[in-house]
Amino acid sequence: MTAGSTIRVSCFVAVMIISFSLGFGTAPGRISAATLTVARVNPGPASLNGYITCLWHGTSSPCGTAGDLQALDWSNSSAVHFRTWAFRGAGTGTAYYATKSINNSACLRVRVRLEYPIGTWRGDELYTHTSLFGTDGYTYAITGSTSYQYTSHTIGTSVAPYPNGDLSTCTSSGIHLHQGADGASRNTGTYSSTGSYSDISANSRWQHEWSWYN
Amino acid sequence: MRRGRNGLLLGATLLAVATLAFWVGRVLGEREPATAGPPALPAGIENATPAPGETPDPTRPELLIKWVNQDAKLPRFDQRINGIEVGPTVQRRGGPCETQRPPVQVDFDQSRGTRVEISPRFLPAGATIRSTLAIMCGQEVAFAEVVYALPVADDLNERLARGESYWDIPRGGTIQIMRFIGEPAEASSIAAARWQAGSINGFPAAIGHPILDEGLGDAEVLVYAGGVLTVVRTGNLSIDTAIAIASGVVQ
């Protein structure tokens, strides 16, 4: 091989490498594909054997009135838990963020806001007649997986009616947990009558569900 | 002459090889569909806080959790801002519901024309009513509330992938507007340092800023006028938007 042909071959190889790198580096879609996330929130009473005293009614309304029909009244007089199952199509990792804060309406209320990415609203779980437990504004990173993952945090305590805990503007007459939501699907198949429900932390016993593509 | 033809031929061949290599690289580089999704979270980000002097990058929302974590470490305590009590253990008090028992839920329309009427003159685009509530104590509607929801942009991920600012993309959330007769006192989870005194339409106000004023986290604007406390609570909206909503409620 002559010196001239060596230079020519070197030129070809160099051009091929540079061009290939340029093409590879500027290729579109170098970010992950959109994948499904499902966030399920289960009932929050302290006991895993829950008891529904009032079926689906409004998140901002007492039993017996209309509204968004997202709320169930649960017997409860102590701790309130945020229980969630998270599906993450992209595999194990943070499925969403859950931030707890005071969100009083006519009654004392704790809100757990679901976001992903942080700063983008996916839904609200609303625990009425509840005072906040723990750090105000604290955000949990909720882990999900392709086979669902369970997480539970204590986020509040049920309070007695005014003047022993709840607000003077609240129409509630007995201590209980009124658990509603904003923008969720409801599990009306499972919760179809008042009465007892065992193991309310099971995945199939979710009360509210949201889903979105990341 | 022949040298010139050879040079041309060599150049053309090089160009062809370069083009071919570029497209082979581009095809191989496209390992995932072009449908945009968020980038993977950096390791350890869930518990991270911003480095000294670090500023948020509005094209990388996956990093904003650092500012949320930083905010959660700030103290919350009860305080009086411009005569309005705010803080985590502040009790709502005063008004007819303390003396005229029991409170009764009434049709929201009954709050029209009362001291607690809610008729906002400004709302962000896309806001739709999610719920309404009115409570009567004695002969007076003493409490009213409207909650609005905002939509999330369907193409949020694509717009982020194109480099658009997170703050300019609709990211959903709720707007809660409450008005009630009573003393100027309301509970809040907003960090103590984020509150400042202000004025809305000439009335004293306590303004609780979001974590980032561009629109990350809750903001609260409380205005006390004529014995009525107005509370506007927004999520992931800018402080300017929260103030504009409050200005359109208190007249």
Side-chain angles (χ1 to χ4, degrees), chain B residues 4-63:
Chain B
R5 261 207 312 269
N6 277 349
L8 258 170
L9 193 64
L10 181 64
T13 312
L14 268 175
L15 188 66
V17 167
T19 307
L20 186 68
F22 179 84
W23 284 109
V24 168
R26 209 165 151 83
V27 167
L28 289 179
E30 198 174 338
R31 288 175 295 193
E32 299 285 354
T35 315
L41 296 174
I45 190 74
E46 310 298 15
N47 299 309
T49 52
E54 183 178 358
T55 54
D57 180 347
T59 65
R60 300 195 63 190
E62 74 275 13
L63 302 182

Side-chain angles (χ1 to χ4, degrees), chain A residues 62 94 111 113 115 136 168, chain B residues 46 101 105 174 189 218 236:
Chain A
T94 298
R111 182 191 72 198
R113 171 150 286 180
E115 295 182 328
D136 283 83
S168 64
Chain B
E46 310 298 15
R101 307 288 301 167
Q105 183 170 341
T174 55
S189 283
D218 281 0
N236 296 323

